[in-house]
Amino acid sequence: MTASTYVNDDRQNHLFQVNREVFTSQEILEKEKQEIFSKAWIYVGHESEIPNKGDFQTRDVAGRPVIFNRDRHGEVRVMLNSCLHRGASLCRHSSGNAKIFTCFYHGWAYRNSGELVNVPGNEDYKAEPAKVYEGLKGPAKVESYRGLYFVNFDEDAESLEDYLGEAKYFIDLVADQSPEGIAILEGTHKYSIKANWKLLVENSVDGYHAKSVHHTYFEMMMDLGATPPMLGEEIVNGVAPSGMGTEFPNGHATLMYPANGLPLATESVKETLAGMRRTAEERFGESYATAMFGLSRNSVFFPSFIVIDLSFGLTLRTMYPISPSETIVTGWQIIPKGVDEEFIKYRVDNALTFWGPAGLATPDDVEALEQAQKAFSTQAEIGWSDISKGMGKQMPAANDELQMRAWWREWNKRMTGEALPSEGKSFVPFQKQTTDA
Ligand code: FES
Ligand SMILES: [Fe+2]
């Protein structure tokens, strides 16, 4: 038996357990900030959110405030949103367009490319601040993949592409949905939950809870004549109705299952989707187009960037800890560029019906996680959570827990240095046949 303080990965008995202390300990959170959020690649935003020179979005990225912007030269930048003078937040708007960021505290002003250009009372300084400090600081690394920007605060981090590795495939399946690319829909779903951030990571790639927690939604789907997820009969691209889980190096993982039914879709929406699929077939071949539009997919990119494509909606989500028992969650909707207003309306309706604050999915998920967090007060008596479902199976299903175990093994490696071997279920199906993207 391999046992560590945090994770019990018992390969002989196909038992995988997580010590509940990891969800409640302040000390562990501090170590996560150090070992995970300061060293792994962290998602910031998509290029479509800052299309024009001067456009900016301010974000909290794993606890660090940043300005994500397009500077006067058209370059995408990520700069820490803290004045070099005495620390005030430089930009206090959530988005906008600015050539200059002027600190409201004492008026130091910076170009949107970062240079410090004005210091009120500059003549009182013997050493000129603009020469001493030059400009706003950024994270050690900023890199993008298919328009998605990530930062890394570790100088020595491997490149983003190497880090994502084969799991990039599940980003491609989103980015390739339109020849014109993808765009984030305006509007953000931002909320906090009273539960540890890792509980929502687990939940975001958990097919096991769907039938129990989301039965109201499933019933609504059935009333509308659609088949709920994982309950269809069709095998799609070799993926059985019960779906499959797959794991990748660095803690990335995906679950997928045949997408059946488009609740509330009008004929025009169905036609738009069919047209997108025909275009993808022409560009990439049938099996890749089927993976794109015929399979629902939930992916986690370690540590907490989630991409969920349920064909009736496509969401990005991040989650960062505020404390061991509080998490800030942000969600965005993606649309393939070039779709009509009716399709956009359909996606927005679904996003609100399913993922929205009063939707049929998110509040139930949040309730489950908050209840778990509350009950972790019993950890002296019940010390471990179980994540063994499907362990030892030839092909884990979407409602097994392989994807969570893969994520936990990476978490454990970063926190303890102990590398637990994968279950060897890395699988990228249905490659593109052409690459004009
Ligand atoms: S803190 Fe920004 S000008 Fe003083
Ligand atoms: Fe859920």
Side-chain angles (χ1 to χ4, degrees):
M1 181 166 102
T2 314
S4 78
T5 329
Y6 304 139
V7 167
N8 175 25
D9 188 3
D10 179 351
R11 306 306 276 261
Q12 227 160 21
N13 297 303
H14 305 299
L15 186 67
F16 192 96
Q17 296 167 311
V18 172
N19 190 327
R20 291 185 178 182
E21 201 193 330
V22 306
F23 300 115
T24 58
S25 153
Q26 184 66 41
E27 200 183 314
I28 288 171
L29 175 62
E30 294 309 320
K31 201 166 174 189
E32 288 176 338
K33 287 184 189 165
Q34 209 54 44
E35 300 302 324
I36 294 175
F37 292 112
S38 297
K39 292 184 182 170
W41 283 96
I42 309 290
Y43 178 71
V44 179
H46 186 260
E47 62 184 8
S48 64
E49 296 174 275
I50 44 169
N52 307 307
K53 284 181 187 173
D55 285 351
F56 69 83
Q57 300 275 341
T58 53
R59 299 257 145 102
D60 257 6
V61 172
R64 287 167 165 100
V66 302
I67 302 171
F68 171 56
N69 78 332
R70 196 174 290 272
D71 73 13
R72 63 207 181 104
H73 311 293
E75 294 284 312
V76 173
R77 286 181 181 271
V78 179
M79 302 180 291
L80 296 170
N81 192 7
S82 173
C83 181
L84 298 174
H85 179 221
R86 298 227 306 270
S89 272
L90 193 52
C91 178
R92 295 178 296 152
H93 301 278
S94 59
S95 62
N97 186 286
K99 286 194 171 90
I100 299 277
F101 295 108
T102 305
C103 181
F104 80 110
Y105 198 3
H106 311 90
W108 284 28
Y110 306 81
R111 275 201 191 107
N112 62 13
S113 41
E115 302 90 346
L116 176 59
V117 286
N118 188 42
V119 172
N122 197 35
E123 61 281 4
D124 300 329
Y125 290 90
K126 287 270 189 276
E128 253 184 83
K131 288 197 179 124
V132 177
Y133 300 111
E134 292 173 355
L136 290 173
K137 296 281 173 275
K141 292 183 171 189
V142 180
E143 290 178 23
S144 70
Y145 183 69
R146 307 296 307 264
L148 300 166
Y149 278 80
F150 292 74
V151 293
N152 200 309
F153 295 95
D154 179 9
E155 285 289 350
D156 302 322
E158 63 184 324
S159 74
L160 174 66
E161 290 219 18
D162 287 348
Y163 177 75
L164 294 171
E166 270 196 308
K168 286 201 301 261
Y169 175 85
F170 291 97
I171 293 177
D172 292 340
L173 283 180
V174 170
D176 286 333
Q177 288 186 11
S178 158
E180 296 153 64
I182 51 169
I184 303 280
L185 271 181
E186 213 179 311
T188 307
H189 184 189
K190 199 167 180 183
Y191 54 102
S192 68
I193 62 173
K194 290 196 173 68
N196 186 273
W197 69 281
K198 300 184 287 299
L199 291 177
L200 185 57
V201 171
E202 289 181 342
N203 173 269
S204 300
V205 287
D206 177 359
Y208 190 17
H209 80 287
K211 216 166 149 184
S212 37
V213 169
H214 302 307
H215 66 90
T216 319
Y217 187 74
F218 283 17
E219 280 156 22
M220 184 194 88
M221 279 181 89
M222 286 192 288
D223 286 349
L224 293 167
T227 313
M230 291 171 264
L231 293 177
E233 279 164 13
E234 214 188 332
I235 297 174
V236 174
N237 268 13
V239 177
S242 59
M244 64 183 292
T246 179
E247 59 179 337
F248 298 97
N250 295 333
H252 316 310
T254 293
L255 68 83
M256 58 191 134
Y257 53 85
N260 26 21
L262 288 168
L264 306 170
T266 60
E267 280 315 307
S268 144
V269 166
K270 287 180 190 162
E271 268 167 39
T272 304
L273 213 54
M276 277 162 32
R277 187 165 177 159
R278 274 195 303 276
T279 307
E281 277 170 12
E282 282 158 22
R283 294 171 72 207
F284 307 116
E286 204 189 320
S287 58
Y288 187 77
T290 302
M292 204 183 271
F293 295 109
L295 292 173
S296 291
R297 307 173 304 274
N298 292 42
S299 305
V300 57
F301 300 88
F302 190 91
S304 59
F305 177 51
I306 310 286
V307 179
I308 303 176
D309 186 351
L310 301 182
S311 53
F312 61 77
L314 216 172
T315 197
L316 301 184
R317 180 188 291 162
T318 60
M319 58 223 63
Y320 303 119
I322 297 171
S323 76
S325 58
E326 195 172 3
T327 299
I328 189 96
V329 188
T330 314
W332 299 269
Q333 290 294 315
I334 293 181
I335 44 145
K337 278 188 185 165
V339 292
D340 60 21
E341 283 303 315
E342 190 168 337
F343 187 87
I344 294 174
K345 184 178 175 304
Y346 170 72
R347 283 290 181 84
V348 171
D349 281 351
N350 269 316
L352 294 173
T353 313
F354 192 69
W355 288 295
L360 285 160
T362 296
D364 293 338
D365 285 318
V366 170
E367 173 67 7
L369 310 185
E370 292 188 345
Q371 289 297 331
Q373 188 72 33
K374 240 169 145 180
F376 290 153
S377 59
T378 63
Q379 66 186 253
E381 292 75 31
I382 311 170
W384 297 78
S385 286
D386 187 283
I387 311 191
S388 317
K389 193 169 184 289
M391 204 167 163
K393 257 193 196 174
Q394 185 68 18
M395 186 174 283
N399 61 7
D400 285 327
E401 294 173 331
L402 166 76
Q403 52 287 350
M404 282 166 251
R405 291 192 292 276
W407 185 92
W408 275 111
R409 289 190 183 103
E410 178 67 18
W411 183 92
N412 185 64
K413 189 173 100 188
R414 287 179 180 262
M415 294 289 284
T416 68
E418 175 195 29
L420 301 164
S422 82
E423 291 176 47
K425 305 278 187 260
S426 183
F427 172 67
V428 168
F430 336 122
Q431 293 294 351
K432 314 183 200 187
Q433 284 155 21
T434 54
T435 49
D436 70 346

